[in-house]
Amino acid sequence: MLLVYAWCNYNYRPIRAKNLTWTTLIYCATVLWFIGNLVTNNHVRLVGVWSNCKLWILWFRVLFVYVFATMTIVRFYALDRVFNQKKPFTRRSSLVSGAVVIVFNVTYCLVNQLISSSLTLEYVPDMEACNITMAFRIAAISIQWLLWGACGVLIFRLRNIQSSFNEFRESVAIFLVIIGLLTETSVTNLYYQYYIFEKKRRIQKTYVDVVASVLVIWLFIGYPVYKSIFDRESYEQMWLERLAKDGPGNTYDCSNPQGTTAYAKMDENTDSGFNNSQVNYNGKGINSAYMNNHRPFGDDPFNIESGMSTHVPYNDNLLPMALRNNIHNPLLNSPSLFGGNYSNSHPDGRHVI
């Protein structure tokens, strides 16, 4: 319901900034992780198709636990790339990251699929249960600790992130939830090997997994969703003003000595995209094909410029130059802010680049 509401209100900019595509994919991983838990924790009778231990435990439980971790890493890496490295996280970056996630996780599962079942996990007909060897448990849990350790490094790098996005505090909360989950998983699997035969303990294990994974999703997008319901317009106005003060002005380096914007620097080939940009200096906003096609986060999280002329009031002068609605009036026949072209007067009095 949370994600459905978020997608229905995708144009609400504080929600839009949360990278809903990746968040949704992370949630899908938690659903498939839960399906794997049904077999791993013996919540269903393991007969027929359910007796295929490698399918349900390796390709559902283990695979999507890793997908959950690696996709969360990518989400934090995207923030690190934009806020710390000052580089765009484009659609291409997103696709490459997705490919890395798939290759890493599928390779791990394929290797374990080819290893003898006696060394990893196998079905025991007499007990109608899957026997998971200690070596497999240790290897699987160790990799989880390594993945979330890498995530912790990225979170540390985000410690100075701008307050308008609240990402550092949310990231720390997510990290603490996962560390608690990993600790519980390690203790349960290494010290209570046969917990699946204890109804109370296996229910507890599944319950902790579900609560922790869903809580992570709530920490990702819960606050802006809450604000959009109970404090919609005033929160968006405050968010925009705070963003203008401490966000893109530093993040995107929207003004620089050369007189071009950071959006211009994102075009690797040419600045000709600005030749088709029309700026209405007396109107309500910027209509730029370039700015629509070159976004720091591709189509997902930080499409802030696409809705700047909506009804929500805020102090436009606080915004970085590249995001303002009322840009300064350049002198006629002088270089404009947006490139090397010269501005010419239009019959209706506007300046056209």
Side-chain angles (χ1 to χ4, degrees):
M1 292 296 291
L2 181 73
L3 279 170
V4 170
Y5 179 87
W7 277 109
C8 290
N9 291 268
Y10 182 70
N11 289 330
Y12 187 65
R13 282 164 286 192
I15 290 178
R16 199 172 182 179
K18 292 298 183 178
N19 199 341
L20 279 184
T21 299
W22 278 98
T23 304
T24 302
L25 291 173
I26 291 171
Y27 175 74
C28 291
T30 67
V31 173
L32 296 171
W33 169 8
F34 171 73
I35 294 174
N37 259 345
L38 295 177
V39 173
T40 305
N41 297 335
N42 263 37
H43 293 299
V44 295
R45 188 180 177 191
L46 302 190
V47 294
V49 68
W50 296 106
S51 64
N52 190 336
C53 296
K54 282 196 172 181
L55 171 64
W56 300 109
I57 297 178
L58 181 61
W59 290 98
F60 275 80
R61 209 292 182 175
V62 174
L63 174 62
F64 288 103
V65 165
Y66 289 171
V67 168
F68 180 86
T70 49
M71 292 187 73
T72 305
I73 289 173
V74 170
R75 191 179 184 280
F76 289 140
Y77 171 72
L79 293 166
D80 178 73
R81 183 174 173 85
V82 169
F83 284 92
N84 293 327
Q85 300 178 40
K86 312 298 182 187
K87 297 178 181 178
F89 190 77
T90 61
R91 183 182 296 275
R92 180 183 176 184
S93 303
S94 184
L95 292 174
V96 170
S97 300
V100 171
V101 168
I102 293 171
V103 170
F104 171 81
N105 292 295
V106 170
T107 300
Y108 175 84
C109 290
L110 278 175
V111 170
N112 281 278
Q113 180 71 40
L114 298 174
I115 295 175
S116 172
S117 297
S118 61
L119 299 176
T120 53
L121 47 93
E122 61 181 347
Y123 180 66
V124 182
D126 294 340
M127 296 189 296
E128 290 187 0
C130 293
N131 178 44
I132 305 174
T133 65
M134 182 58 69
F136 183 82
R137 294 172 193 246
I138 293 174
I141 293 172
S142 297
I143 291 175
Q144 288 185 63
W145 279 103
L146 288 174
L147 290 173
W148 286 104
C151 195
V153 172
L154 287 172
I155 290 172
F156 179 76
R157 285 176 54 83
L158 298 176
R159 65 192 181 278
N160 295 322
I161 200 168
Q162 283 73 15
S163 60
S164 52
F165 294 97
N166 292 324
E167 290 289 353
F168 178 65
R169 285 175 289 179
E170 294 170 4
S171 301
V172 170
I174 289 168
F175 187 69
L176 292 176
V177 168
I178 294 300
I179 292 302
L181 175 61
L182 275 179
T183 302
E184 188 272 341
T185 298
S186 301
V187 171
T188 300
N189 280 276
L190 300 181
Y191 292 97
Y192 300 97
Q193 297 182 51
Y194 304 107
Y195 74 90
I196 59 173
F197 299 111
E198 301 177 33
K199 183 178 179 179
K200 181 180 179 180
R201 198 173 292 279
R202 69 172 183 258
I203 291 176
Q204 171 193 315
K205 180 72 190 82
T206 304
Y207 180 79
V208 170
D209 285 352
V210 170
V211 169
S213 58
V214 172
L215 184 57
V216 167
I217 304 300
W218 275 87
L219 288 170
F220 277 140
I221 61 173
Y223 187 72
V225 166
Y226 172 84
K227 284 294 186 179
S228 74
I229 297 173
F230 297 103
D231 194 19
R232 188 178 184 90
E233 293 191 3
S234 60
Y235 176 71
E236 186 175 23
Q237 178 183 350
M238 180 189 70
W239 187 87
L240 286 169
E241 290 177 352
R242 186 178 294 176
L243 177 70
K245 291 177 182 178
D246 62 17
N250 297 323
T251 302
Y252 303 123
D253 191 21
C254 292
S255 60
N256 56 70
Q258 286 72 32
T260 59
T261 69
Y263 294 98
K265 291 189 291 184
M266 289 177 191
D267 190 352
E268 298 175 356
N269 301 315
T270 176
D271 288 337
S272 61
F274 282 118
N275 295 338
N276 298 322
S277 301
Q278 178 173 290
V279 182
N280 180 359
Y281 295 102
N282 298 315
K284 293 185 178 180
I286 299 172
N287 181 16
S288 170
Y290 184 88
M291 291 178 72
N292 285 337
N293 294 324
H294 294 74
R295 296 169 176 140
F297 270 103
D299 289 332
D300 292 323
F302 287 101
N303 302 338
I304 300 161
E305 68 274 13
S306 63
M308 282 297 173
S309 60
T310 58
H311 65 281
V312 180
Y314 61 94
N315 187 348
D316 194 71
N317 292 326
L318 293 174
L319 287 172
M321 190 66 69
L323 300 181
R324 290 184 189 176
N325 289 333
N326 298 314
I327 309 297
H328 68 284
N329 292 327
L331 296 175
L332 290 178
N333 299 321
S334 63
S336 73
L337 170 69
F338 295 104
N341 297 325
Y342 286 78
S343 57
N344 299 308
S345 60
H346 192 272
D348 63 5
R350 293 177 296 168
H351 296 161
V352 181
I353 298 175

